[in-house]
Amino acid sequence: MSFGHWGKALRVNLTTGTIASEALDEVFLRRYLGGWGFIAYYLLKEVPSGADPLGPDNRLIYATGPITGQPLAGGGRHMIGARSPLTGGFAGSECGGYFGAELKRAGWDVIIIEGASAAPVYLSIHNDEVSLQPADHLWGQETWEVEQAIRQEAGERNMRVSQCGPAGEHLALLANVMHDCTRAAGRGGLGAVMGSKKLRAVAVRGTHRPPVADKASLDALGKWFREHYTETGSAIFSTLATMRMVRVNNSKGGLPTRNFSEGVFDRFEDVSAERQLETWNVERETCYGCPIRCKWVVEVDDEAFRAERKYGGPEYETTGAFGPLCGISDLRVINRANQLCNANGLDTIGTGVTLAWAMECAERGLLTSADTDGLDLRFGHAEAFLAMIEHMAKRKGYGAVLADGSMRAAKALGKDSISFAIQVKGQEMAMHDPRVKFGHGLGVAVSPTGADHMHNVHDNGYTTDGGIEDLKAFGVLEPLPWDDLSTDKVRMVRYGMLWRVFDNLAGFCMFQAWTPKQKADLIAAATGWNTSVLELFEAAERAYDMARAFNALQGIGPEEDRLPTRIHTPVPEGPAAGIAPTQEAMDGAVQKFYAQMGWDPATGAPTRARLEELGIGWIADLLEAQA
Amino acid sequence: MSFGHWGKALRVNLTTGTIASEALDEVFLRRYLGGWGFIAYYLLKEVPSGADPLGPDNRLIYATGPITGQPLAGGGRHMIGARSPLTGGFAGSECGGYFGAELKRAGWDVIIIEGASAAPVYLSIHNDEVSLQPADHLWGQETWEVEQAIRQEAGERNMRVSQCGPAGEHLALLANVMHDCTRAAGRGGLGAVMGSKKLRAVAVRGTHRPPVADKASLDALGKWFREHYTETGSAIFSTLATMRMVRVNNSKGGLPTRNFSEGVFDRFEDVSAERQLETWNVERETCYGCPIRCKWVVEVDDEAFRAERKYGGPEYETTGAFGPLCGISDLRVINRANQLCNANGLDTIGTGVTLAWAMECAERGLLTSADTDGLDLRFGHAEAFLAMIEHMAKRKGYGAVLADGSMRAAKALGKDSISFAIQVKGQEMAMHDPRVKFGHGLGVAVSPTGADHMHNVHDNGYTTDGGIEDLKAFGVLEPLPWDDLSTDKVRMVRYGMLWRVFDNLAGFCMFQAWTPKQKADLIAAATGWNTSVLELFEAAERAYDMARAFNALQGIGPEEDRLPTRIHTPVPEGPAAGIAPTQEAMDGAVQKFYAQMGWDPATGAPTRARLEELGIGWIADLLEAQA
């Protein structure tokens, strides 16, 4: 045992049915910390270059961090990773809720799943009792039914269930991994990896408090947060939660509308946080240990647009992707679409952006209803929109094409439709338009997971909206404009972004406004290590570099560090009209980012020098062996 | 005003006699922090490439840090810098005592001295009353007389005096800057820079407590240290102080003996800490704010070897350099030599190593007493040894040659005597033999100030003697052997070394065993910044890189990052017999160090990429403008 971690990994081979416990030593735990760090380690060690992401050689890895399972805000998060079938590269998707805490409380830091089962199974974990259970009877069921059935079989109401949904069973590359039917590890197509392994679910129940070195300090910091979070940047998440971004982004001219062709949505009020609160919101939930309660639950009691409490409610990203992006302004439609995705295990961002691409194709006459299962998929057409989500979940008709995301659909269609497929490395962009935050665009361009909003600094948050204060702890001392891509802006992005990657490693949620010092103090209290912001930041850089190295080994090079063409064309109207980062400026910023990260411009992978600086020269050996 | 600093620099032009106050803004103070950071900034901005170190274009800079002048252990340190006349590169020498605190308490963070006076002067500072005073009557006087005279003129018993001594007046390149007649900013030939400017002294009296953001926290940490330092690594400095290293190094076979030709000294007991305590030690002094009291005061009441309390007592470095290194085992001789150096302003390390070189020349018949003013300068010849120190201080006879250090003397003599001149970049090595701590050797090889013991990790301190714990806060998780020069060992050296450079920037003494976290908390309390170990570490890397860039601009390239030839030959006897880092291994480690630092192997200067990563791209502009 090592404080903050148990020092135990669970290894499950689905081909052979073997289950084993592996010890993790303190140097491993401290060097890689958790989350992406653990995931990237096992992918680099165990997944050979070119291994089929949907084949038995891929690994599906569940990882916690030293904060996961601790009784404080942030304790609920875990991360899932694999070689992504969507991007071909590193996938590491994180998730709140209760599953991560439950896994940690069961005595495990990591699960490594390898091989593939011949018949459907689920993995059952009750502390150190671990077994594979048949899941033929669950195959094809929606997530709620599966969760109920597993809980009943286990005789355990509080069993936490992580599952791939029908979309994953059908190997939809937009398939996510659902938890409690409401929390998604959404990105990277991880649901398809589960489906390919015939692993319908991982169900866990744990009853141990994770080992903590300095319980008094940890509890005191937790108490401080519960008593003071309303005085921090967390306060806004208690009131308007993520949905506030509808209004914020619209006011900046960066609310992605009609497939990113516009930045303001004339009916934005209809899909705003305030409107949802007035109409369909019935409850606020929260994640393990968190007082913020930012998870909204909606209910729509209407045959055409039924949305049930058990599937939670849409976040901002989902609202944006199903609303303005598709020209839809009816929250009932959005709430219903959210339920369809959560019930079937589809990533709402990928689904919304892919449908918006299809709608634009329809508007342009590149796709007709004859191509799309008879559905008239134009902007704002709610009925066709909802129907097509169901087709995607089951790979029915044209849904089989869209289920694999916009890049593949556009490549199949041709006709330059790739120019408005809003994705990077095959993964769809979230609802933050780089044209109103150039720094965020840089983060999205270089992200090893493709377009991803989780670990990229939202740069206006650090300038016009404040937020520079935390960055000062990293020596970034002055705010810079949102439309800046200077050397110093690149530097700001680098520090902000890597510190968010640290959140992933540790298990922190980005909505919890702990300061860098408080986070380091929490890790120290959990682990007993004399750790520092420097050590933790470098663990994040290590993990990020490992993800980039994994990508390079899979043949993903610098040419993929580019935003969609459309992002380089300004939106026509609104506060951001006429402004966009040019391709040349963004390429220049990417090159500066490479330089500051110590990446080789020829391969996009970290240099040996930087890897050795970070104490992971063994990865340079891997890169050189393949070169 | 900015907490932790006043935000004020004093600029004195000795050519014109003008005195001005300059404001320092918070971004400057936070980015460069203090000490080497401030010194390197002004040298890069103001001293043109090729400027004569002894000419009016050189700057003499006094710098404090955010801890200087705070009423706690470490508060007494300041740093002095210039273009070194000894190495031609960056000089930044640090010093304990009371002067730094007094300067800070007078309301100044930095003094920048430019130009040169036609006639001797001293600078008088009493809070914001600053004037240049004639010093013709002080010229030629020993340090004690000058200090007394200035205090009397000022009517101020507590005036703190920083002065160059007669050696500096004579432009001896081994001239130091003395404080309180007992504390030396010893290295780099800074006394000669003062002498060249006809500035005999800087005298200061200050009566303000430096601004502190969180007095309660700062005082609480100070109180903690006073109550608990005996439980930390500081304890040993309270008992056997630096002198303990005579026994420690001898036991490892690395007590430099007879000009580094041997590593054990048969009479080491005669020059040990214990022997000094039994015989000549009469008192223990301390520096401003420090409870450790590691400064020994000796008294020898003997006509031939007189040593007076007013000149303090020899540290380990001095004892080693005047004792075993010169084959001398009589503490009276060592104590007397210490007084001669302190009274005249000669660096004891440079003086001892240069004399040991001359003694070896005499033993080999390369120098005879006819060459050396009739003095028979062989190992152990105390009388000749003491006499030659006085010649060096006044540049008398062959003393004029030796006063400029071993490299110049060896080049003048020829006959391959350079192979046993124990110096790097023209500066003599301190009494830590790289043959028993390879990592220290690496630090000495790459140091921008030449062979220097102040900012290089003593690597056995981090392995066999413990000390790895602090390094874990930097992600250096495992101890490594003292004779290792692997990639990971280079990494260990890099973190340990740069964190010691941080001490310099902040004002901490390396004998005060504050943990990294405590140091960051102290800086935060002093300044009010939400700082972190990461920000502080990177400030140190910034300063170190700036010093390297300054060297490159002065034409000092990678070919100077080499240890003396002798260090690659094992000592013949003792525990370290037969062991030495090979030239090839050390060159390899230097190259690895370059890579991990982001230095260009062709120039030895930091790359643009690394400079921009650290937020100081303006230095890359300087380097490219000259290239």
Side-chain angles (χ1 to χ4, degrees):
Chain A
M1 192 187 80
S2 165
F3 294 116
H5 299 91
W6 296 103
K8 273 175 65 190
L10 176 64
R11 184 177 291 272
V12 178
N13 185 312
L14 293 171
T15 303
T16 61
T18 51
I19 293 169
S21 171
E22 294 179 359
L24 306 173
D25 69 26
E26 176 140 346
V27 168
F28 170 86
L29 295 170
R30 192 161 177 172
R31 182 167 294 148
Y32 303 107
L33 199 59
W36 271 30
F38 291 168
I39 292 167
Y41 177 87
Y42 286 107
L43 293 181
L44 284 164
K45 289 279 186 185
E46 302 188 10
V47 177
S49 300
D52 180 1
L54 300 181
D57 286 344
N58 202 359
R59 296 288 184 273
L60 182 73
I61 296 153
Y62 283 73
T64 63
I67 291 304
T68 311
Q70 302 293 355
L72 48 80
R77 293 186 84 74
H78 70 286
M79 307 81 200
I80 312 181
R83 182 181 181 200
S84 168
L86 190 64
T87 69
F90 177 86
S93 196
E94 57 181 286
C95 184
Y98 296 84
F99 179 89
E102 201 72 24
L103 175 62
K104 189 70 163 279
R105 289 169 60 85
W108 302 102
D109 302 314
V110 184
I111 313 175
I112 307 143
I113 299 167
E114 56 190 39
S117 180
V121 290
Y122 73 89
L123 180 67
S124 171
I125 302 171
H126 194 300
N127 293 333
D128 53 1
E129 291 165 37
V130 182
S131 62
L132 287 165
Q133 300 291 335
D136 307 80
H137 59 302
L138 305 176
W139 208 249
Q141 303 290 316
E142 292 193 347
T143 55
W144 177 257
E145 279 64 44
V146 167
E147 186 166 289
Q148 294 305 309
I150 289 175
R151 285 177 175 177
Q152 201 161 10
E153 287 172 23
E156 184 67 80
R157 280 182 56 195
N158 291 319
M159 203 84 181
R160 297 295 174 183
V161 178
S162 172
Q163 58 172 320
C164 65
E169 295 176 0
H170 286 97
L171 308 181
L173 301 190
L174 295 180
N176 68 15
V177 181
M178 290 301 303
H179 303 78
D180 297 323
C181 301
T182 54
R183 308 296 206 290
R187 317 308 308 277
L190 293 167
V193 177
M194 279 188 91
S196 75
K197 293 186 179 303
K198 289 276 199 298
L199 178 70
R200 178 55 200 254
V202 176
V204 63
R205 178 74 178 121
T207 56
H208 310 299
R209 177 165 174 173
V212 54
D214 179 357
K215 187 172 179 304
S217 293
L218 192 96
D219 290 349
L221 282 158
K223 184 164 181 281
W224 178 90
F225 191 82
R226 286 191 297 279
E227 291 173 356
H228 294 277
Y229 72 93
T230 54
E231 300 153 23
T232 73
S234 293
I236 193 75
F237 294 100
S238 284
T239 53
L240 298 179
T242 61
M243 283 282 284
R244 77 189 171 98
M245 291 308 292
V246 171
R247 185 177 303 279
V248 170
N249 279 343
N250 196 71
S251 75
K252 294 184 187 300
L255 180 66
T257 299
R258 296 182 190 84
N259 197 33
F260 282 86
S261 67
E262 298 166 73
V264 288
F265 184 51
D266 51 1
R267 288 164 285 149
F268 80 93
E269 288 282 8
D270 293 340
V271 296
S272 66
E274 295 82 355
R275 184 63 51 84
Q276 183 80 285
L277 279 177
E278 287 160 17
T279 52
W280 313 112
N281 183 297
V282 290
E283 203 180 328
R284 297 191 188 194
E285 267 207 336
T286 196
C287 298
Y288 180 84
C290 186
I292 297 175
R293 307 190 70 78
C294 78
K295 311 305 293 180
W296 290 10
V297 178
V298 302
E299 190 172 55
V300 181
D301 186 14
D302 177 316
E303 189 137 356
F305 306 113
R306 185 169 312 284
E308 296 156 283
R309 291 178 183 226
K310 63 191 183 192
Y311 286 115
E315 297 287 342
Y316 163 70
E317 300 293 349
T318 303
T319 304
F322 291 161
L325 197 76
C326 291
I328 288 170
S329 58
D330 185 340
L331 277 170
R332 294 176 307 168
V333 177
I334 294 166
N335 292 341
R336 174 65 187 166
N338 181 63
Q339 170 153 335
L340 288 175
C341 285
N342 288 358
N344 286 288
L346 273 177
D347 173 33
T348 58
I349 298 170
T351 300
V353 175
T354 300
L355 282 167
W357 169 84
M359 286 170 159
E360 181 163 346
C361 289
E363 298 279 354
R364 291 175 178 237
L366 305 180
L367 284 175
T368 67
S369 50
D371 302 312
T372 55
D373 312 338
L375 300 171
D376 185 8
L377 264 186
R378 279 179 294 169
F379 288 125
H381 285 205
E383 208 175 320
F385 165 80
L386 290 172
M388 186 53 85
I389 293 177
E390 299 202 66
H391 290 206
M392 289 167 73
K394 309 283 163 49
R395 287 197 99 96
K396 185 174 149 193
Y398 195 65
V401 174
L402 296 181
D404 290 343
S406 59
M407 181 189 77
R408 286 174 175 77
K411 284 187 176 169
L413 180 64
K415 304 175 189 174
D416 198 36
S417 64
I418 191 73
S419 72
F420 55 89
I422 309 302
Q423 51 74 39
V424 176
K425 302 183 178 71
Q427 172 152 290
E428 287 71 22
M429 192 177 288
M431 298 302 108
H432 296 272
D433 193 329
R435 288 170 289 194
V436 298
K437 29 194 161 188
F438 289 17
H440 175 69
L442 170 60
V444 168
V446 297
S447 166
T449 57
D452 196 321
H453 61 299
M454 288 306 289
H455 48 273
N456 299 310
V457 58
H458 295 202
D459 82 6
N460 67 343
Y462 289 115
T463 51
T464 52
D465 290 343
I468 185 74
E469 202 51 36
D470 268 5
L471 280 177
K472 286 185 180 174
F474 304 97
V476 176
L477 303 177
E478 294 165 296
L480 292 167
W482 59 268
D483 60 350
D484 182 12
L485 283 174
S486 66
T487 302
D488 282 340
K489 181 66 168 288
V490 170
R491 183 168 176 265
M492 171 187 279
V493 169
R494 177 172 177 269
Y495 284 94
M497 199 176 82
L498 289 177
W499 192 240
R500 290 214 163 157
V501 172
F502 156 71
D503 285 344
N504 172 295
L505 270 58
F508 285 112
C509 170
M510 67 168 82
F511 301 161
Q512 292 149 358
W514 301 104
T515 63
K517 176 180 158 55
Q518 286 175 320
K519 287 180 179 174
D521 287 348
L522 280 162
I523 302 287
T527 60
W529 301 334
N530 64 339
T531 193
S532 69
V533 170
L534 181 137
E535 183 186 11
L536 300 172
F537 181 89
E538 292 196 351
E541 182 168 2
R542 204 174 281 132
Y544 199 83
D545 274 359
M546 288 164 77
R548 291 284 306 193
F550 181 77
N551 278 8
L553 289 168
Q554 304 296 346
I556 298 175
E559 65 287 354
E560 298 203 36
D561 290 336
R562 291 202 140 183
L563 298 177
T565 314
R566 171 157 293 171
I567 300 302
H568 300 298
T569 308
V571 292
E573 280 175 34
I579 305 171
T582 64
Q583 176 80 63
E584 192 186 2
M586 191 56 78
D587 284 351
V590 167
Q591 285 310 305
K592 283 183 180 297
F593 191 85
Y594 272 44
Q596 291 182 27
M597 289 295 289
W599 292 350
D600 180 344
T603 64
T607 55
R608 173 174 282 281
R610 183 60 61 107
L611 291 166
E612 290 183 348
E613 184 185 339
L614 294 168
I616 46 173
W618 62 272
I619 295 169
D621 298 340
L622 290 183
L623 290 166
E624 286 167 17
Q626 182 160 318
Chain B
M1 193 187 79
S2 166
F3 294 116
H5 299 91
W6 297 102
K8 272 173 68 188
L10 176 63
R11 185 178 290 273
V12 178
N13 186 312
L14 293 171
T15 304
T16 61
T18 52
I19 292 168
S21 171
E22 293 179 359
L24 306 173
D25 70 27
E26 177 140 343
V27 168
F28 169 86
L29 294 170
R30 194 160 175 172
R31 182 166 294 148
Y32 303 107
L33 199 58
W36 271 29
F38 291 168
I39 291 167
Y41 178 87
Y42 287 106
L43 292 182
L44 284 164
K45 289 279 186 186
E46 302 188 10
V47 177
S49 300
D52 179 1
L54 300 181
D57 286 344
N58 202 1
R59 298 288 184 271
L60 182 74
I61 297 153
Y62 284 75
T64 64
I67 292 303
T68 311
Q70 301 293 356
L72 48 80
R77 292 185 85 74
H78 70 287
M79 306 83 199
I80 312 181
R83 180 180 183 201
S84 168
L86 190 64
T87 70
F90 177 84
S93 195
E94 57 181 285
C95 184
Y98 296 84
F99 179 88
E102 201 73 25
L103 175 62
K104 189 70 162 281
R105 290 170 60 86
W108 303 102
D109 303 313
V110 185
I111 313 175
I112 308 143
I113 299 166
E114 56 189 40
S117 179
V121 290
Y122 73 90
L123 180 66
S124 171
I125 302 171
H126 193 300
N127 293 333
D128 54 0
E129 291 166 37
V130 182
S131 62
L132 287 166
Q133 300 291 335
D136 307 82
H137 60 302
L138 306 176
W139 209 249
Q141 303 289 315
E142 293 192 345
T143 55
W144 176 259
E145 279 65 44
V146 167
E147 186 166 286
Q148 294 304 309
I150 290 176
R151 287 176 173 176
Q152 197 161 14
E153 286 173 24
E156 183 68 80
R157 280 183 56 195
N158 291 318
M159 203 86 181
R160 297 296 173 180
V161 177
S162 172
Q163 59 172 317
C164 65
E169 294 175 2
H170 286 97
L171 307 182
L173 301 190
L174 294 180
N176 67 15
V177 182
M178 289 302 301
H179 303 78
D180 296 324
C181 300
T182 54
R183 308 299 206 290
R187 318 306 310 277
L190 293 167
V193 177
M194 280 188 90
S196 76
K197 294 188 180 301
K198 289 275 200 299
L199 178 70
R200 177 57 201 253
V202 177
V204 63
R205 178 74 178 120
T207 57
H208 310 300
R209 176 164 174 173
V212 55
D214 180 356
K215 186 173 179 306
S217 292
L218 191 96
D219 290 349
L221 283 159
K223 183 165 180 282
W224 178 90
F225 191 85
R226 286 191 297 279
E227 291 173 356
H228 294 275
Y229 72 94
T230 54
E231 300 152 23
T232 73
S234 293
I236 193 73
F237 295 100
S238 284
T239 52
L240 297 179
T242 59
M243 282 283 283
R244 78 189 170 101
M245 292 308 291
V246 170
R247 183 177 305 278
V248 170
N249 280 342
N250 196 72
S251 74
K252 294 184 187 298
L255 179 67
T257 299
R258 295 181 192 85
N259 197 34
F260 283 86
S261 67
E262 299 166 69
V264 288
F265 184 52
D266 51 0
R267 286 164 285 147
F268 80 93
E269 288 283 7
D270 294 339
V271 296
S272 66
E274 294 81 355
R275 184 62 52 85
Q276 183 81 285
L277 279 175
E278 287 160 18
T279 52
W280 313 112
N281 182 297
V282 290
E283 202 181 328
R284 296 190 189 196
E285 267 208 337
T286 196
C287 298
Y288 181 83
C290 186
I292 298 176
R293 308 190 71 76
C294 77
K295 312 305 290 182
W296 290 9
V297 179
V298 301
E299 190 172 54
V300 182
D301 188 15
D302 178 314
E303 189 137 354
F305 307 113
R306 185 170 311 285
E308 297 157 281
R309 292 177 182 228
K310 64 191 184 190
Y311 285 116
E315 297 289 342
Y316 163 68
E317 300 294 349
T318 304
T319 305
F322 290 162
L325 198 76
C326 291
I328 289 170
S329 58
D330 185 339
L331 277 170
R332 294 176 306 166
V333 176
I334 294 166
N335 292 338
R336 174 65 187 166
N338 181 64
Q339 168 152 337
L340 288 175
C341 285
N342 288 357
N344 286 288
L346 272 177
D347 173 33
T348 58
I349 299 170
T351 300
V353 176
T354 301
L355 281 167
W357 168 87
M359 286 170 158
E360 180 162 350
C361 289
E363 298 279 354
R364 291 174 176 236
L366 305 178
L367 284 175
T368 66
S369 52
D371 301 312
T372 55
D373 312 340
L375 301 170
D376 186 8
L377 266 185
R378 279 179 293 168
F379 289 125
H381 285 204
E383 206 174 322
F385 166 80
L386 290 172
M388 187 53 87
I389 292 176
E390 299 201 66
H391 291 206
M392 289 167 73
K394 308 284 162 51
R395 286 198 101 94
K396 187 175 148 192
Y398 195 63
V401 174
L402 296 181
D404 290 343
S406 59
M407 180 188 78
R408 286 174 176 78
K411 285 188 177 168
L413 179 64
K415 305 175 187 173
D416 198 36
S417 64
I418 192 74
S419 71
F420 54 89
I422 310 301
Q423 51 75 37
V424 176
K425 301 183 179 72
Q427 173 153 288
E428 286 71 22
M429 191 178 288
M431 298 302 110
H432 296 273
D433 193 329
R435 287 170 290 193
V436 297
K437 28 194 161 187
F438 288 16
H440 175 69
L442 170 59
V444 168
V446 297
S447 165
T449 56
D452 196 321
H453 61 300
M454 290 306 289
H455 48 273
N456 300 311
V457 57
H458 295 201
D459 83 8
N460 67 342
Y462 289 114
T463 52
T464 51
D465 291 341
I468 186 75
E469 203 51 36
D470 269 5
L471 280 177
K472 287 186 178 172
F474 304 98
V476 175
L477 303 178
E478 293 165 297
L480 293 167
W482 58 268
D483 59 350
D484 181 12
L485 283 174
S486 67
T487 302
D488 282 340
K489 181 64 168 290
V490 170
R491 183 168 176 264
M492 171 187 279
V493 169
R494 177 172 176 268
Y495 283 94
M497 199 177 81
L498 289 177
W499 191 241
R500 290 217 163 155
V501 172
F502 156 72
D503 285 344
N504 173 295
L505 269 58
F508 285 111
C509 171
M510 66 168 82
F511 301 161
Q512 291 147 0
W514 300 105
T515 65
K517 176 179 158 56
Q518 287 176 319
K519 286 180 179 174
D521 287 348
L522 280 163
I523 302 287
T527 61
W529 301 334
N530 64 339
T531 194
S532 69
V533 170
L534 181 136
E535 183 186 11
L536 300 173
F537 181 88
E538 293 196 351
E541 182 169 4
R542 206 173 279 132
Y544 199 82
D545 275 358
M546 288 164 78
R548 290 285 305 194
F550 181 76
N551 278 7
L553 289 168
Q554 303 297 345
I556 297 175
E559 66 286 354
E560 298 203 35
D561 290 336
R562 294 202 137 183
L563 298 177
T565 313
R566 169 157 292 171
I567 301 301
H568 300 298
T569 306
V571 291
E573 281 176 33
I579 305 169
T582 65
Q583 176 80 63
E584 192 184 3
M586 190 57 76
D587 283 352
V590 167
Q591 285 310 305
K592 284 184 179 295
F593 190 85
Y594 272 44
Q596 292 183 27
M597 288 296 290
W599 292 350
D600 181 343
T603 64
T607 55
R608 172 174 284 282
R610 182 59 62 105
L611 291 166
E612 289 182 350
E613 183 185 339
L614 294 169
I616 47 173
W618 64 271
I619 295 169
D621 298 341
L622 289 184
L623 289 166
E624 285 167 17
Q626 181 161 319

